[in-house]
Amino acid sequence: KNEVEQSPQNLTAQEGEFITINCSYSVGISALHWLQQHPGGGIVSLFMLSSGKKKHGRLIATINIQEKHSSLHITASHPRDSAVYICAVSGSARQLTFGSGTQLTVLP
Amino acid sequence: DVKVTQSSRYLVKRTGEKVFLECVQDMDHENMFWYRQDPGLGLRLIYFSYDVKMKEKGDIPEGYSVSREKKERFSLILESASTNQTSMYLCASSPPTNEKLFFGSGTQLSVL
């Protein structure tokens, strides 16, 4: 079973700062997902990566398959980015293994 | 807009009651999942289904069962609710390749 570690667990930033959230996993994967969960529970899928880098607006996700590591970056952070960010990986089976999440708070 | 709908946002039940949590998706997805989310433990998979009438146990199936009679609907059943099943329950669906997961808004279940 894959182990997924996220860091940091909690992150507080000032509006405008560049933010990085990290995810490491223990076993080879077929894909890695980044998810966002706002207060109230709803979860939104941000990215799915199997290699390289993806960008959507101010969000950038990268993955290094050899190092078993992914990062989620937020440029020019804003208070509305405050949420829990969750990393999840999928292997040969179709179910995902989730990290415990990173609570991000962006202060105005 | 694509949607995964969970029948209740909040639910309060008594110990020993039978509880049904319903999930419906309108995207014709093959894969459907039930997770529970607890503070500090992240999302844990209870059951999943790849097709109608098919079900597979996840990491924590004890005390739960599921039903998938139609492709769009995946139900989670707590046969006899217990206080340690108080949690946030999240349903999700995805196409076969899992390239994107779609989540429902969750059901916060309290068992008293």
Side-chain angles (χ1 to χ4, degrees), chain A residues 33 37 40 48 94 96, chain B residues 9 35 37 50 98-99 101:
Chain A
H33 298 253
Q37 184 174 29
M48 188 194 80
R94 280 184 257 188
L96 301 180
Chain B
R9 186 71 183 90
Y35 298 95
Q37 186 178 33
Y50 295 150
N98 261 1
E99 69 261 20
L101 275 176

Side-chain angles (χ1 to χ4, degrees), chain B residues 60-104:
Chain B
I60 51 164
E62 296 79 19
Y64 304 94
S65 61
V66 290
S67 172
R68 195 165 180 200
E69 295 297 316
K70 293 185 178 182
K71 191 175 186 181
E72 67 270 18
R73 187 180 297 269
F74 192 36
S75 303
L76 180 69
I77 304 152
L78 288 66
E79 295 290 340
S80 177
S82 63
T83 54
N84 62 12
Q85 292 178 310
T86 291
S87 186
M88 170 68 82
Y89 289 88
L90 288 149
C91 173
S93 73
S94 74
T97 52
N98 261 1
E99 69 261 20
K100 191 168 183 177
L101 275 176
F102 294 85
F103 283 85

Side-chain angles (χ1 to χ4, degrees), chain A residues 24-103:
Chain A
S24 297
Y25 51 92
S26 58
V27 181
I29 62 170
S30 58
L32 182 143
H33 298 253
W34 281 104
L35 310 168
Q36 180 193 55
Q37 184 174 29
H38 279 285
I43 296 178
V44 174
S45 180
L46 297 174
F47 296 103
M48 188 194 80
L49 295 161
S50 52
S51 64
K53 176 178 169 178
K54 285 191 177 179
K55 184 176 190 290
H56 186 260
R58 295 180 294 105
L59 301 178
I60 303 165
T62 64
I63 188 168
N64 185 317
I65 297 294
Q66 287 73 30
E67 294 186 4
K68 297 186 175 65
H69 180 268
S70 175
S71 293
L72 177 68
H73 305 286
I74 305 174
T75 62
S77 59
H78 190 276
R80 65 175 175 265
D81 297 325
S82 297
V84 175
Y85 292 85
I86 302 168
C87 169
V89 300
S90 57
S92 54
R94 280 184 257 188
Q95 61 268 40
L96 301 180
T97 302
F98 293 82
S100 55
T102 294
Q103 172 69 61

